[in-house]
Amino acid sequence: MVDYHAANQAYQYGPSSGGGNGAGGGGSMGDYMAQEDDWDRDLLLDPAWEKQQRKTFTAWCNSHLRKAGTQIENIDEDFRDGLKLMLLLEVISGERLPKPERGKMRVHKINNVNKALDFIASKGVKLVSIGAEEIVDGNAKMTLGMIWTIILRFAIQDISVEETSAKEGLLLWCQRKTAPYKNVNVQNFHISWKDGLAFNALIHRHRPELIEYDKLRKDDPVTNLNNAFEVAEKYLDIPKMLDAEDIVNTARPDEKAIMTYVSSFYHAFSGAQKAETAANRICKVLAVNQENEHLMEDYERLASDLLEWIRRTIPWLEDRVPQKTIQEMQQKLEDFRDYRRVHKPPKVQEKCQLEINFNTLQTKLRLSNRPAFMPSEGRMVSDINNGWQHLEQAEKGYEEWLLNEIRRLERLDHLAEKFRQKASIHEAWTDGKEAMLKQRDYETATLSDIKALIRKHEAFESDLAAHQDRVEQIAAIAQELNELDYYDSHNVNTRCQKICDQWDNLGSLTHSRREALEKTEKQLETIDQLHLEYAKRAAPFNNWMESAMEDLQDMFIVHTIEEIEGLISAHDQFKSTLPDADREREAILAIHKEAQRIAESNHIKLSGSNPYTTVTPQIINSKWEKVQQLVPKRDHALLEEQSKQQSNEHLRRQFASQANMVGPWIQTKMEEIGRISIEMNGTLEDQLSHLKQYERSIVDYKPSLDLLEQQHQLIQEALIFDNKHTNYTMEHIRVGWEQLLTTIARTINEVENQILTRDAKGISQEQMQEFRASFNHFDKDHGGALGPEEFKACLISLGYDVENDRQGDAEFNRIMSVVDPNHSGLVTFQAFIDFMSRETTDTDTADQVIASFKVLAGDKNFITAEELRRELPPDQAEYCIARMAPYQGPDAAPGALDYKSFSTALYGESDL
């Protein structure tokens, strides 16, 4: 006797889990059957299940035997001689078995059954505990087990839905087909089918005209089951394998009987399944195309917006109309800073994101075998880069112009104030001089008075000559203001011209008076030597004091600490001369006192003031006191400027300290990104995670850049134009920062595209790492691209036969035309990965899509809108209808659409 309670690994009357892998996948059958062990042991205890199996298996066998013109009545009796068993196998397999033996003896029957069992085994099914003797002896359980093995192998094993097989595939198919139906929930092959709604749902899903599903009631299972079985037998050629009562009156229907019955429905609707598979393929292809079109539209819109912003911004940056005042120009500078801080950074991000979106779109197009995206005219990435370059050139020129214009206006304000100060001093000095020179006092004067007038006039001429430099300075300042286009040049020129005209007039009057005095000089001989000496020494001393007062009140402008320290040093040197000047003053006053002493001692009555000069001791003392007052004021002004320059120097050093830290940091990060992109280890997801962490560390450094911007703004507000403590300018730092953000974003995008390529093409992580390692090994300069010889060496290392012979050279030239279509002489890593992915993986092709449409069209060379709407989701059906051209073939029908041209167009190919 056979031990039906053998080890769990063996199926009682079917193939074991260790069965061979035949053409139909015996391994999958074995796995399934291993799951059935527990159920089969229960079978021995339940006669109802055996009854259901007898009925179902008998009907199934007869559905095939009737094709050979025969049938069976009793499943365990009619197969005993092996003849109908061999005939059944020939019908369901379509193959010829060895010629049966016609003898009636037991040995003949055993030989025939063995021929049948050998045929089953040849199909990859390992029979365990089933022998010919048991079948010949009419062992019911062994016979049912053998028939179940045949059903599994020839009716169920090849069923596959989403890479599942056998029982799981059949169950998933049932679940999907019945999902839309109320009161149907297929979870197994026993109680899920008791109410009959699942059978009716399968029929209605594929042939809705045969079943009025809405009229069925869940509480009437017998009616439901009979309806489904009768419709299936009448219209679908599926024999009635069970009675409704067999199912309803059993607590748990036999799973094998239900599976056998349901598999007949599956095979009856296999044509519809084939159409569904074709429709799924088409939907997948169309979804890719629709997504790509959306990405293209997004690119066009973003590119247009960015180019429009550049177009609007450049004229503003190229506007070089100067303003009249520093305040107006500083407002322009503040507007420019606001543009740099607020308006430009988002556009930098938009530009970077646009490039990333463009690269991602091109990658998706390559992966789906679509033609590359060509933006509309004027919206290429190169057009955006050219516009951006023009923008940055205009930006740089605008900033330089602003700073130069502010320097010019500052210089103008300084010169204008200096002009007004010197003009005021000169005008104060010339006040009354014309009236003095026009006097005719020499006509009634005594000889001594005339001589005094001559000396007085000589002193005036000396004084006049001393003021010549000031007039020339005034004229020079006015000329410089004109050359620098000072806005109030008209008033400056008018005042300067008045001073020059007056100066010329003074010269003319001086000359006329000298001639008049010289005519009477011979009559004037008496001269007071002491007064004369006084006048000679007082005049230059008076001029020195006036020059000193002018110098002490002179405005100054400096830009560095060294310049102010130079002025302070010069001022200290001037102060060191004051003791000598004081002694000279006392000596001049002593001369005056000596003249008075002599006159008094000799009873001489002096006639008022010194006739040779207007510089009295009171004037000398007054001016000396003025000089003494101006010295500390000058000290204070210089110290204030020194403090300001020290503050400016602090700002320079503060900016330099931060810039000398930020600049090298940016350079270091750029170099590190270069190394990361070359030395990437781990999975692509690990690399992507590492890069994004690296990106976050870069973004976290932004406060250091903001601090530098704040320090730079303080420097500009202080009108500091140079900094010897650093070679970095804010412009260099900004450009470096933008390049750093763009580089890390592009590196991340490259890895994302590699992941996209890997996932779409099914490349394993090991393959991707091998491709990366090979590429990096031959990328000697770490430039991210291989030259032709480096690329050839890389291909050879991967097993390609591209050695230097005619055949190898031809193959290499073919590959180069794929990876370097523009003949640049360089192969990028992305192009290398695309090539390797095409070499190692399968992709959807235009021919596959055409074949799928042909299935939906029922093998016609055209398809109709009605067929598309029936087989595809609404949005994808309308997508096809809107783009398919009318079919022009000789077999065209009304409303025929050309699906072949449409399919080839999806992949950028010409019509077949």
Side-chain angles (χ1 to χ4, degrees):
M1 291 294 292
V2 176
D3 182 4
Y4 292 110
H5 297 279
N8 288 341
Q9 298 299 318
Y11 175 53
Q12 293 169 354
Y13 46 75
S16 73
S17 60
N21 294 323
S28 296
M29 278 186 64
D31 293 341
Y32 163 67
M33 295 313 303
Q35 300 169 6
E36 298 299 308
D37 291 347
D38 294 338
W39 176 83
D40 286 336
R41 285 195 294 273
D42 294 337
L43 171 65
L44 299 176
L45 305 177
D46 193 338
W49 284 1
E50 182 176 335
K51 177 183 177 183
Q52 291 175 20
Q53 286 188 27
R54 282 177 175 275
K55 186 175 293 186
T56 305
F57 292 179
T58 299
W60 183 86
C61 291
N62 285 334
S63 70
H64 294 286
L65 287 172
R66 69 186 180 187
K67 300 174 185 175
T70 187
Q71 63 179 10
I72 62 173
E73 297 293 336
N74 189 321
I75 196 167
D76 48 339
E77 290 293 332
D78 293 351
F79 285 137
R80 291 178 63 181
D81 60 3
L83 295 177
K84 288 187 178 181
L85 177 61
M86 294 178 69
L87 183 60
L88 173 66
L89 291 173
E90 287 186 345
V91 171
I92 61 178
S93 69
E95 301 180 24
R96 295 290 296 178
L97 270 69
K99 186 176 180 180
E101 299 181 15
R102 297 294 180 179
K104 302 294 185 178
M105 300 177 63
R106 177 179 173 82
V107 66
H108 297 139
K109 296 177 181 180
I110 289 176
N111 288 340
N112 287 339
V113 173
N114 274 328
K115 289 177 182 179
L117 296 179
D118 290 343
F119 178 79
I120 295 172
S122 72
K123 296 304 178 182
V125 179
K126 185 176 181 181
L127 299 172
V128 177
S129 301
I130 298 179
E133 291 81 359
E134 285 84 358
I135 306 301
V136 173
D137 291 339
N139 186 313
K141 289 181 174 56
M142 288 296 105
T143 303
L144 290 174
M146 178 189 65
I147 298 301
W148 174 241
T149 299
I150 294 171
I151 293 172
L152 273 178
R153 173 59 184 84
F154 294 100
I156 296 177
Q157 179 181 333
D158 293 335
I159 296 175
S160 176
V161 178
E162 288 193 355
E163 301 182 1
T164 63
S165 60
K167 175 183 176 182
E168 290 79 6
L170 184 60
L171 184 63
L172 180 57
W173 179 80
C174 293
Q175 289 171 339
R176 286 191 172 178
K177 294 302 180 181
T178 61
Y181 293 87
K182 63 181 180 179
N183 296 326
V184 178
N185 183 18
V186 177
Q187 297 296 325
N188 49 56
F189 284 110
H190 38 80
I191 61 175
S192 293
W193 303 82
K194 285 190 66 173
D195 59 12
L197 292 178
F199 285 107
N200 283 277
L202 283 180
I203 298 173
H204 185 269
R205 178 64 182 269
H206 296 90
R207 297 287 300 276
E209 74 279 6
L210 301 179
I211 298 286
E212 293 183 280
Y213 186 83
D214 292 337
K215 294 184 177 181
L216 300 177
R217 302 198 322 272
K218 186 175 180 64
D219 58 358
D220 190 4
V222 173
T223 300
N224 297 340
L225 288 166
N226 284 330
N227 181 68
F229 296 164
E230 291 168 3
V231 169
E233 187 171 35
K234 182 176 181 180
Y235 297 102
L236 303 178
D237 198 27
I238 298 175
K240 187 175 182 181
M241 299 184 182
L242 289 171
D243 291 325
E245 291 75 14
D246 294 335
I247 298 176
V248 173
N249 296 332
T250 305
R252 174 172 161 172
D254 177 60
E255 188 171 27
K256 293 180 179 179
I258 298 296
M259 283 180 65
T260 302
Y261 212 156
V262 172
S263 69
S264 298
F265 284 83
Y266 174 87
H267 291 294
F269 297 132
S270 61
Q273 181 69 24
K274 184 178 180 182
E276 181 179 352
T277 301
N280 287 338
R281 176 185 291 277
I282 293 171
C283 289
K284 177 182 175 184
V285 171
L286 295 179
V288 170
N289 234 53
Q290 289 171 308
E291 180 184 1
N292 290 341
E293 287 183 2
H294 288 317
L295 291 175
M296 293 175 191
E297 293 169 1
D298 289 344
Y299 173 87
E300 292 283 346
R301 176 178 53 77
L302 291 174
S304 297
D305 292 346
L306 185 57
L307 288 169
E308 174 62 19
W309 179 81
I310 293 174
R311 184 191 65 77
R312 293 196 313 269
T313 305
I314 287 178
W316 175 67
L317 293 173
E318 290 179 341
D319 180 10
R320 301 293 194 272
V321 178
Q323 303 299 312
K324 293 181 179 180
T325 66
I326 290 181
Q327 290 73 23
E328 291 174 312
M329 289 305 298
Q330 284 178 332
Q331 182 57 50
K332 275 184 170 289
L333 181 60
E334 185 59 33
D335 292 341
F336 180 69
R337 291 183 187 132
D338 188 61
Y339 154 80
R340 273 270 181 80
R341 289 192 305 265
V342 178
H343 301 292
K344 185 183 177 186
K347 298 303 178 183
V348 173
Q349 294 300 318
E350 286 181 19
K351 177 177 177 292
C352 178
Q353 190 61 47
L354 193 66
E355 294 178 1
I356 290 173
N357 291 349
F358 180 82
N359 293 336
T360 300
L361 173 59
Q362 299 293 36
T363 298
K364 288 187 175 183
L365 290 171
R366 286 196 303 273
L367 295 178
S368 56
N369 288 337
R370 304 306 197 271
F373 170 54
M374 180 62 67
S376 58
E377 185 175 358
R379 294 186 178 89
M380 299 284 291
V381 172
S382 58
D383 297 322
I384 295 172
N385 287 333
N386 290 336
W388 192 265
Q389 185 178 9
H390 187 187
L391 173 77
E392 292 192 330
Q393 289 173 349
E395 182 181 304
K396 181 179 179 182
Y398 187 64
E399 183 175 33
E400 291 175 353
W401 173 76
L402 283 174
L403 295 177
N404 289 334
E405 190 63 20
I406 289 175
R407 291 190 191 101
R408 183 183 72 83
L409 291 175
E410 182 189 39
R411 174 68 176 164
L412 281 175
D413 281 359
H414 170 70
L415 289 175
E417 183 60 30
K418 193 170 186 178
F419 172 83
R420 287 189 287 270
Q421 186 184 69
K422 288 187 176 293
S424 296
I425 293 172
H426 179 77
E427 288 167 349
W429 178 82
T430 58
D431 185 34
K433 294 297 189 292
E434 289 185 3
M436 181 195 73
L437 291 172
K438 292 178 180 179
Q439 288 180 355
R440 305 182 68 83
D441 49 355
Y442 54 83
E443 293 179 351
T444 58
T446 63
L447 181 59
S448 59
D449 292 335
I450 290 302
K451 287 187 177 291
L453 290 175
I454 290 175
R455 300 298 181 269
K456 182 178 179 181
H457 190 69
E458 288 174 349
F460 173 77
E461 285 182 327
S462 177
D463 199 12
L464 186 67
H467 283 77
Q468 177 68 30
D469 288 342
R470 183 184 292 116
V471 175
E472 291 175 353
Q473 289 175 7
I474 291 171
I477 293 171
Q479 178 63 28
E480 188 171 0
L481 287 170
N482 280 306
E483 292 172 354
L484 293 175
D485 195 21
Y486 182 53
Y487 75 94
D488 200 22
S489 293
H490 173 73
N491 290 331
V492 170
N493 292 335
T494 300
R495 190 171 183 181
C496 181
Q497 187 61 46
K498 182 178 179 181
I499 290 173
C500 291
D501 292 343
Q502 185 186 40
W503 185 255
D504 291 340
N505 190 36
L506 284 176
S508 177
L509 291 173
T510 301
H511 181 69
S512 298
R513 184 170 176 82
R514 173 180 266 290
E515 288 181 345
L517 293 173
E518 287 177 350
K519 285 174 64 176
T520 57
E521 183 180 11
K522 294 180 181 179
Q523 302 171 10
L524 306 175
E525 297 177 352
T526 305
I527 186 170
D528 188 343
Q529 293 299 323
L530 290 175
H531 281 186
L532 181 58
E533 183 179 357
Y534 171 89
K536 287 181 178 180
R537 294 182 68 172
F541 185 72
N542 183 60
N543 288 334
W544 176 86
M545 287 192 297
E546 288 185 346
S547 296
M549 287 188 293
E550 184 176 349
D551 290 340
L552 289 170
Q553 297 178 83
D554 191 22
M555 295 181 63
F556 56 83
I557 180 171
V558 296
H559 295 98
T560 67
I561 190 69
E562 290 79 11
E563 291 177 355
I564 188 60
E565 287 176 352
L567 290 179
I568 291 174
S569 176
H571 183 60
D572 291 341
Q573 186 177 359
F574 166 76
K575 290 192 292 184
S576 69
T577 65
L578 290 179
D580 290 338
D582 191 32
R583 285 190 288 272
E584 175 66 10
R585 180 183 64 84
E586 291 177 350
I588 293 172
L589 294 177
I591 293 172
H592 176 72
K593 292 177 181 179
E594 180 64 15
Q596 288 183 330
R597 186 189 66 79
I598 293 173
E600 291 175 357
S601 64
N602 293 285
H603 307 289
I604 299 173
K605 186 177 181 181
L606 298 177
S607 58
S609 60
N610 191 324
Y612 303 116
T613 181
T614 58
V615 182
T616 65
Q618 291 78 16
I619 291 176
I620 290 176
N621 286 330
S622 174
K623 290 184 177 179
W624 178 255
E625 184 179 354
K626 181 67 173 177
V627 169
Q628 294 295 100
Q629 293 172 351
L630 290 174
V631 167
K633 290 183 179 180
R634 184 73 167 183
D635 286 335
H636 179 71
L638 290 173
L639 289 175
E640 273 192 344
E641 184 62 29
Q642 184 183 38
S643 175
K644 174 185 174 183
Q645 291 304 323
Q646 287 173 342
S647 174
N648 288 352
E649 183 68 7
H650 172 71
L651 291 176
R652 287 189 184 95
R653 291 180 183 275
Q654 178 178 268
F655 175 84
S657 175
Q658 183 73 2
N660 290 337
M661 178 180 66
V662 173
W665 183 89
I666 290 176
Q667 181 62 33
T668 299
K669 293 302 177 185
M670 288 291 290
E671 295 170 357
E672 288 177 358
I673 292 173
R675 289 197 299 272
I676 288 173
S677 64
I678 293 172
E679 301 171 0
M680 287 183 174
N681 297 314
T683 67
L684 291 176
E685 285 75 9
D686 292 339
Q687 296 169 18
L688 183 62
S689 176
H690 178 59
L691 284 171
K692 288 188 175 179
Q693 290 176 359
Y694 202 80
E695 182 183 39
R696 285 194 292 273
S697 70
I698 290 175
V699 174
D700 290 343
Y701 196 73
K702 182 64 163 55
S704 298
L705 196 73
D706 295 338
L707 175 60
L708 194 63
E709 284 282 7
Q710 294 169 7
Q711 294 169 349
H712 178 64
Q713 182 168 346
L714 292 175
I715 281 182
Q716 287 193 324
E717 289 172 353
L719 297 178
I720 300 172
F721 303 111
D722 56 356
N723 194 338
K724 66 182 180 180
H725 303 297
T726 181
N727 292 325
Y728 294 100
T729 66
M730 196 64 234
E731 181 63 26
H732 293 154
I733 297 293
R734 291 190 192 106
V735 171
W737 178 255
E738 291 172 2
Q739 289 177 347
L740 179 61
L741 291 177
T742 300
T743 300
I744 186 64
R746 286 173 177 166
T747 305
I748 289 173
N749 180 245
E750 179 183 342
V751 176
E752 291 174 337
N753 284 343
Q754 291 176 27
I755 292 174
L756 195 61
T757 300
R758 181 199 67 191
D759 294 342
K761 299 299 185 179
I763 301 175
S764 68
Q765 184 64 38
E766 291 73 17
Q767 286 177 308
M768 186 65 75
Q769 290 176 342
E770 179 185 359
F771 296 157
R772 167 59 80 179
S774 299
F775 188 90
N776 287 346
H777 176 76
F778 293 99
D779 185 13
K780 303 299 184 183
D781 60 355
H782 307 304
L786 301 181
E789 293 304 317
E790 293 174 326
F791 181 57
K792 178 180 284 188
C794 182
L795 289 175
I796 292 173
S797 74
L798 293 171
Y800 283 79
D801 185 11
V802 290
E803 296 289 353
N804 293 325
D805 55 36
R806 179 176 298 177
Q807 184 175 353
D809 289 343
E811 175 64 9
F812 180 69
N813 291 334
R814 180 191 72 80
I815 295 174
M816 281 298 293
S817 68
V818 173
V819 298
D820 183 23
N822 297 324
H823 306 293
S824 66
L826 293 173
V827 181
T828 65
F829 182 66
Q830 187 61 49
F832 173 68
I833 287 296
D834 289 343
F835 169 73
M836 294 307 298
S837 66
R838 286 195 296 272
E839 292 288 304
T840 57
T841 60
D842 295 327
T843 59
D844 287 328
T845 65
D847 289 341
Q848 291 173 328
V849 176
I850 291 172
S852 297
F853 272 117
K854 192 167 186 178
V855 170
L856 300 186
D859 285 336
K860 301 192 299 295
N861 291 323
F862 60 85
I863 195 167
T864 66
E866 179 182 356
E867 290 170 329
L868 287 170
R869 291 190 176 103
R870 184 179 69 239
E871 300 292 346
L872 298 181
D875 60 329
Q876 295 187 335
E878 299 306 322
Y879 179 85
C880 294
I881 294 168
R883 288 164 173 76
M884 281 187 182
Y887 177 68
Q888 303 294 337
D891 55 341
L897 299 175
D898 188 350
Y899 61 77
K900 291 184 179 179
S901 297
F902 173 75
S903 300
T904 55
L906 287 177
Y907 291 85
E909 303 173 7
S910 59
D911 291 343
L912 294 177

